[in-house]
Every structure is written in structure tokens, then in C-alpha cells.
Amino acid sequence: MKYKITAYSTALFSTWINVEELNLLIDAGDGLTSGLLQKSRKIKNVFITHPDRDHLNGLPQFVQLNARDGYPKIHYPKDSGSFSAMNNFLNRFDPHVSSSSWIGIEDQSRTEIKKNILVEAIRNEHVKSPIGINKSLSYKVIEIKKKLKTEFLSKSSNEIKEIARENGKDFITERIESNIISFSGDTPVDDYAKWDGSEILIHESTFLKNEGDSKIESKGNKHSRLDEVLQMVKEIKIGTLILNHFSSRYSKKEIDEAVKKSIAAYKIQIPVFLVYPGEIKRDILRTKPINE
């Protein structure tokens, strides 16, 4: 399936990403509801990566417009106090939003958002914290399918039905997990293995180069650099790359030139899409990749 992904992402200012078919929102920066309008009402599950304001300041308007019988469900790093504070404020300011759900989650937790579709949380190192304290998370969307075990492939359909009747369906099938979408959130590049096998990887690329980057780092929080991201992509297997969270210091021309240069240097063969600073990128996967 070619998912309908719409995103806005500008470092320091706002990030939000909507996967329409999954009723899923990742991060909720400013401009979320004005960017999606009525489509925001289809969102059931929101996963926030960390408590920086550019990733959560769109929540008050979003929840105010869409609160209904247990939805939307707002999932957030459980050890961040910003979310409970915001929820408490919203309940006083707009009492009807109390029907929404706010759920603290931790590293390696899994949340079912649709039948056979899970979101797995993964710790990242954007916000410095001790192991076991969850303040900054990345996310993977996992699809689960059942596949006929190899030893039964030569059996006829009638034989398979009889075996399943006697032993149950789980006896003849194996569970297959596919990483259909990965979202890095704000993070330094660290463990390549966490993204290996992603069909779609949405990864931040705040900086194009080293010069002056430390001036944009917020309270010591760590980000990724373009060359580090593409070096990683070269070493792992993914299907499609979407780069986001570029610093607004860069123009579209500078970003295009830097990305094309790095794609050539690292011999990247997969499609690469860009979410430019200050622009909503609608239905990303149906646009033209930068390296086509």
C-alpha cells in the first residue's frame, strides 16, 4: 500500500506527520489543524516523540476540536511531566475534552491502533536521561500477518483445512512482522539496526553540515546531520526515505544541492523525499522524489 502521508516539519518551529489510512498522527506542532482541516477529525491515535514545544503545541486546538468518547488517544513518553500538565490545563480550559485519553508509554511498549497494526516505541537519545527513564521516543509501525508454514506448502487445500481443524490455525501458520513505517523523531544517529528493514523511514535531518550547528542545539538535545543519516541508509535495508526537520537556516536550493550531493556520494538507490522548512508536503509518496 502506498500510504497517504502529509507532513509539516521545520526545526524549532513545528513538526507533525499524518498517515491517513492508519488514522495516525505523529507529533502535533503548531498549524496541525489548520493544515489538515476536517481530515484531522479522522485521527484516532497521536504519538508524541518528546516534550519540545514545536512537537506538541498543536495539541490544544486539535483536542478541543476532536475530543469524543475516548478519542483521540494521546500517547507520550511517560516520564515527561509536560503532558500531564497540558492535559490538566485543557480539562479546566475546555471541560469537554475530558473524553480524550492521555497515555504515558515507555521504551519497547506496543500499542494496537488497528487490527494487526501496532506502534512500537523505541528510546532515543535526543533528550538526555538515565536508562529506564522515558522522555524521548522514536516509533515504528508494525504490521502483523499470518503465513502458512513451509512444511504445509505442498499440501492440498483440503489437507490444510483438515490439519487446521484438528490442531488449530496457529499450528499451520507463523507470525510475520513487517516494519511498514518508522519515524525517528528528533534524535542523533546511533543504532543503525533499529531502522533496518523499514519499508518507509521518516528521519530527521536537521543539519546539512557542521558549521555553527551547536548554536541551534536546544538545551543540549541532540539532532541528526544529513551525511550521518545517508551513511546509515547506505548500510541498512529500507524501501523509501523521507527526510524532515531541516533547519530553517537553509533554503530549498541549499537543501536540494546538499541532498543530491550526499545521495551521489553514498550511492543511495532508493527513492528519497524531502519535507522542506515552512511547507506542508501533502501526500508525499505520490510526489516526485529528489533523486528521480
Side-chain angles (χ1 to χ4, degrees), residues 18 20 23 32-43 62 65-66 68 282:
N18 176 226
E20 197 167 316
N23 308 111
L32 159 63
T33 49
S34 60
L36 290 176
L37 299 176
Q38 292 300 324
K39 288 188 176 182
S40 71
R41 297 190 62 79
K42 297 180 180 179
I43 295 166
F62 171 76
L65 288 174
N66 298 306
R68 65 212 185 267
R282 300 187 187 276

Side-chain angles (χ1 to χ4, degrees), residues 95-148:
H96 79 279
V97 307
S98 61
S99 58
S100 62
S101 298
W102 293 64
I103 306 161
I105 58 176
E106 58 188 357
D107 179 31
Q108 298 183 27
S109 66
R110 286 186 161 194
T111 304
E112 185 173 58
I113 61 169
K114 280 180 174 280
K115 185 178 179 181
N116 296 324
I117 302 288
L118 310 173
V119 174
E120 179 179 350
I122 306 170
R123 174 190 170 96
N124 67 46
E125 302 305 320
H126 175 62
V127 178
K128 187 176 181 180
S129 61
I131 297 298
I133 300 299
N134 298 270
K135 292 192 174 184
S136 184
L137 297 171
S138 304
Y139 296 108
K140 294 200 292 191
V141 182
I142 307 293
E143 182 178 35
I144 298 171
K145 292 182 179 179
K146 294 293 185 71
K147 180 181 177 182
L148 191 66

Side-chain angles (χ1 to χ4, degrees), residues 13-47:
F13 293 97
S14 175
T15 289
W16 53 264
I17 295 176
N18 176 226
V19 186
E20 197 167 316
E21 294 85 351
L22 301 180
N23 308 111
L24 172 65
L25 180 72
I26 303 173
D27 281 336
D30 284 343
L32 159 63
T33 49
S34 60
L36 290 176
L37 299 176
Q38 292 300 324
K39 288 188 176 182
S40 71
R41 297 190 62 79
K42 297 180 180 179
I43 295 166
K44 293 183 177 180
N45 285 279
V46 181
F47 288 82

Side-chain angles (χ1 to χ4, degrees), residues 39-182:
K39 288 188 176 182
S40 71
R41 297 190 62 79
K42 297 180 180 179
I43 295 166
K44 293 183 177 180
N45 285 279
V46 181
F47 288 82
I48 308 295
T49 58
H50 63 290
D52 285 355
R53 300 305 182 257
D54 54 323
H55 292 259
L56 57 76
N57 269 358
L59 279 176
Q61 176 75 342
F62 171 76
V63 175
Q64 192 276 330
L65 288 174
N66 298 306
R68 65 212 185 267
D69 297 332
Y71 290 101
K73 294 182 178 180
I74 314 297
H75 309 267
Y76 61 89
K78 75 177 185 66
D79 296 309
S80 171
S82 298
F83 297 93
S84 58
M86 179 178 281
N87 188 23
N88 290 336
F89 166 75
L90 292 179
N91 276 277
R92 293 195 302 272
F93 191 72
D94 285 314
H96 79 279
V97 307
S98 61
S99 58
S100 62
S101 298
W102 293 64
I103 306 161
I105 58 176
E106 58 188 357
D107 179 31
Q108 298 183 27
S109 66
R110 286 186 161 194
T111 304
E112 185 173 58
I113 61 169
K114 280 180 174 280
K115 185 178 179 181
N116 296 324
I117 302 288
L118 310 173
V119 174
E120 179 179 350
I122 306 170
R123 174 190 170 96
N124 67 46
E125 302 305 320
H126 175 62
V127 178
K128 187 176 181 180
S129 61
I131 297 298
I133 300 299
N134 298 270
K135 292 192 174 184
S136 184
L137 297 171
S138 304
Y139 296 108
K140 294 200 292 191
V141 182
I142 307 293
E143 182 178 35
I144 298 171
K145 292 182 179 179
K146 294 293 185 71
K147 180 181 177 182
L148 191 66
K149 291 180 179 176
T150 305
E151 59 263 38
F152 299 113
L153 292 176
S154 62
K155 303 286 186 182
S156 69
S157 58
N158 287 335
E159 288 175 317
I160 290 171
K161 287 178 183 177
E162 182 62 22
I163 296 169
R165 187 186 66 78
E166 292 179 356
N167 302 280
K169 287 186 178 180
D170 288 343
F171 181 77
I172 63 171
T173 60
E174 58 183 336
R175 176 186 172 107
I176 304 296
E177 295 191 359
S178 300
N179 179 192
I180 54 177
I181 303 174
S182 295

